[in-house]
Amino acid sequence: MEIKTAKYAGFCFGVKRAVDTVFDLVGQKTGAHIYTIGSLIHNPNTNEKLAENGVGIIREEHIDEDLAKADPYSTFVVRTHGVPVSVLQKLRAFTEKNPRSSILDMTCPFVAKIYKIMLPKDYINYILTGVHACDYSDASGMLLLDVEHKCWSK
């Protein structure tokens, strides 16, 4: 049996950038705690390798509990498909209280574009915080998510 591999198999550039950056960070930050917010990417093998290298996962649904246990020298990595505004605000509050901690936003640039689409509440948030943000549920509610074909509308 012959097995053929696609000419361009592998990660997209946004995922490759995120994975390479986090593994580089692991090598640079010995002794510091590195956490991804949810799984960095949708690839269990890569996420397992990150865990083997000491990268923890902060669960979105338990963000308050997980941040309460986080080390003040932590680096929080925003996953490739982004996080809701509420999670980002909690991360920012943590880093303001703990200035030696940091947030590394690895949201894919194409996904980040979607977050620039604003509902009125998003515009108010932007004026108050300077952050462009839109949750996936909002984008799908604006009919920008083609649910039938599972892709962003053109």
Side-chain angles (χ1 to χ4, degrees):
M1 176 197 302
E2 184 180 354
I3 298 174
K4 293 185 179 185
T5 304
K7 184 177 178 182
Y8 297 107
F11 294 144
C12 70
F13 83 94
V15 167
K16 181 174 177 5
R17 175 184 71 117
V19 170
D20 290 348
T21 301
V22 173
F23 276 115
D24 288 347
L25 191 62
V26 166
Q28 296 167 10
K29 292 205 165 212
T30 54
H33 290 92
I34 301 168
Y35 300 98
T36 60
I37 310 305
S39 296
L40 181 65
I41 63 171
H42 297 298
N43 182 305
N45 293 331
T46 300
N47 291 322
E48 198 173 294
K49 286 179 187 169
L50 288 167
E52 289 168 6
N53 281 277
V55 177
I57 294 178
I58 289 191
R59 301 157 301 164
E60 233 178 76
E61 63 275 9
H62 300 291
I63 186 93
D64 295 320
E65 299 164 29
D66 290 347
L67 286 177
K69 298 177 205 167
D71 185 77
Y73 299 100
S74 299
T75 297
F76 302 104
V77 181
V78 175
R79 64 183 174 237
T80 53
H81 51 280
V83 295
V85 177
S86 58
V87 171
L88 203 50
Q89 289 169 336
K90 289 177 182 187
L91 292 173
R92 284 197 182 110
F94 184 93
T95 58
E96 284 175 17
K97 279 192 230 172
N98 301 283
R100 292 187 176 162
S101 63
S102 61
I103 301 169
L104 178 60
D105 190 351
M106 295 309 313
T107 305
C108 172
F110 290 135
V111 173
K113 263 182 155 177
I114 298 302
Y115 287 147
K116 299 233 191 270
I117 299 164
M118 292 189 215
L119 292 172
K121 69 176 183 61
D122 299 319
Y123 179 73
I124 292 167
N125 184 63
Y126 171 68
I127 294 301
L128 295 173
T129 66
V131 176
H132 289 275
C134 174
D135 291 330
Y136 280 114
S137 59
D138 293 340
S140 65
M142 291 184 285
L143 303 178
L144 293 172
L145 180 64
D146 182 343
V147 177
E148 182 181 346
H149 296 100
K150 297 183 179 134
C151 64
W152 293 107
S153 300
K154 294 183 177 153

